[in-house]
Structure formats: structure tokens, C-alpha cells
Amino acid sequence: MMELLRKRRSIRAFTPEPVAPETVDLLVEALLRAPSSRGKNPWEFVVVDDRELLEQLSRSKEHGSQFIKNAPLAIVVCADSTVSDVWVEDCSIAAILVQMAALSLGLGSCWAQMRKRRHDADSSAEEYIRKLLGLPEHIVVECIVGIGHPGEVKKTVPADKLQYGKVKRNRYS
Ligand SMILES: Cc1cc2nc3c(=O)[nH]c(=O)nc-3n(C[C@H](O)[C@H](O)[C@H](O)COP(=O)(O)O)c2cc1C
């Protein structure tokens, strides 16, 4: 795990190679193994590999979601917000776990934030995605994780660049 964490970077460029169905199954397993508060599992996921939908999802926001257009796979991380008051935390954990699982399987990925983001002046990113994917009203959207075979190489962050000053021992001051 430490080796994977040292390698982890956001990958926004992908080769056209699709993600194999058995790999998608492993990614789904990783999502469903995520811990959640009180084991309530409020998350729900939409696994998207349809090219037209991926292109439409890439237009969810004006900035920061375009990379999804070239991803062969995207996971829309949603939740039933009536099931848990901490669905944001639960969804975030599932999202980072699937990103780490993707990395362990030789794939690259990047998170695209949707919660609290606008699609345009008239609608939120969530409203846009709701229409596109047919999400019922009680389902909310946290983010989209774009996944694929890496089409870019990123340098790892060297240990001496880590912000150790942000870590306090025993007391803050
Ligand atoms: C909560 C969260 C939201 C993010 N939203 C976006 C986004 O909307 N679009 C994007 O391209 N990257 C997004 N990212 C990726 C960050 O930009 C990236 O993690 C950060 O710049 C550090 O780079 P690294 O992941 O390569 O270390 C997001 C990451 C997190 C954790």
C-alpha cells in the first residue's frame, strides 16, 4: 500500500483501450467493500462505459470534468442522502478506494467534483447528471471518477516535498 500511495497521482489522459470487464468487476468489488458509518452503505454507483454518455458527463461542469470525455470508464458516485447524514464521508471513502484499486490494477484515474458545483447558470452539475442518467430525486451526486489505462506519466511527489509542517504531535500549539 505504501508503494501505491507513493505512486498515486491524478491521471486525466487515457489510451483508447477499454477497461476489461473482469477489471471493472474488481473495481465494483472495491467500491462495495468500502467502510461506511454504522455500516449503512448509503452510496450507490453508476458505472458508465457508453461513449456518448461519457462525452455528456464530461460536460457536467464548465471546468474540471472534460477529461472524462477520453476516459473509457467513469463511476458516478451517488448516495441516498436519506439513509445517512454522513453520506459525503462514505462516498469519499468509496471514491478514493476505487481510485487506489484502479492504481493497483495498472489503471489511472481522477476525481471530478460534482457536489456543490454548477453545470451552468441555470442548473447544478447534479441536476444535469440527474437528467442524463435518470437519477431519482432522493439520489444525490458527490463526484465522478474517470478511469482508464494511463495516457500520461506523472512524477511521484518526493518525500521532501510532503507538508510535514501540517502534522502536529499531541497538541496543536
Ligand atoms: C475532493 C476532490 C475534488 C477534485 N475535483 C477535481 C475536479 O473537479 N477536476 C479535476 O480535474 N481534478 C479534481 N481533483 C483532483 C485534484 O485536482 C488533485 O488530486 C490535486 O491537484 C493533486 O494532484 P494529485 O492527485 O496528482 O496528487 C479533485 C480531488 C479531490 C480530492
Side-chain angles (χ1 to χ4, degrees):
M1 185 50 123
M2 288 309 297
E3 284 312 306
L4 282 176
L5 287 170
R6 287 179 182 132
K7 278 205 316 206
R8 191 212 57 77
R9 292 297 311 276
S10 293
I11 297 299
R12 299 180 182 83
F14 307 98
T15 70
E17 189 184 344
V19 179
E22 54 276 21
T23 307
V24 177
D25 291 345
L26 292 173
L27 296 174
V28 168
E29 181 181 346
L31 288 166
L32 298 176
R33 287 192 183 279
S36 69
S37 173
R38 298 185 188 169
K40 285 187 168 182
N41 303 351
W43 22 248
E44 302 204 15
F45 309 101
V46 184
V47 179
V48 180
D49 61 3
D50 178 272
R51 278 253 59 89
E52 195 181 328
L53 277 178
L54 288 164
E55 199 277 324
Q56 289 167 317
L57 283 176
S58 78
R59 289 191 269 115
S60 295
K61 303 194 286 186
E62 272 177 31
H63 304 286
S65 56
Q66 289 70 17
F67 71 89
I68 294 165
K69 189 173 158 192
N70 299 317
L73 184 72
I75 293 167
V76 185
V77 180
C78 308
D80 182 340
S81 62
T82 66
V83 168
S84 172
D85 59 342
V86 291
W87 63 269
V88 174
E89 288 84 345
D90 294 336
C91 283
S92 302
I93 290 167
I96 191 64
L97 280 184
V98 82
Q99 288 198 266
M100 294 308 293
L103 180 60
S104 79
L105 296 164
L107 301 169
S109 71
C110 186
W111 176 312
Q113 180 68 23
M114 295 298 151
R115 193 177 73 90
K116 292 186 179 282
R117 296 291 179 262
R118 302 228 45 94
H119 168 63
D120 58 19
D122 300 324
S123 58
S124 67
E126 180 176 275
E127 285 162 346
Y128 172 79
I129 296 166
R130 181 178 309 289
K131 263 193 211 144
L132 196 61
L133 303 182
L135 303 179
E137 272 307 313
H138 66 287
I139 297 296
V140 290
V141 180
E142 170 160 284
C143 67
I144 302 175
V145 179
I147 302 176
H149 293 271
E152 63 178 333
V153 177
K154 284 200 170 170
K155 289 205 174 107
T156 60
V157 177
D160 62 0
K161 290 279 183 297
L162 298 179
Q163 297 176 299
Y164 282 105
K166 289 188 179 288
V167 182
K168 322 293 179 196
R169 310 271 165 153
N170 293 323
R171 289 194 174 81
Y172 193 95
S173 61

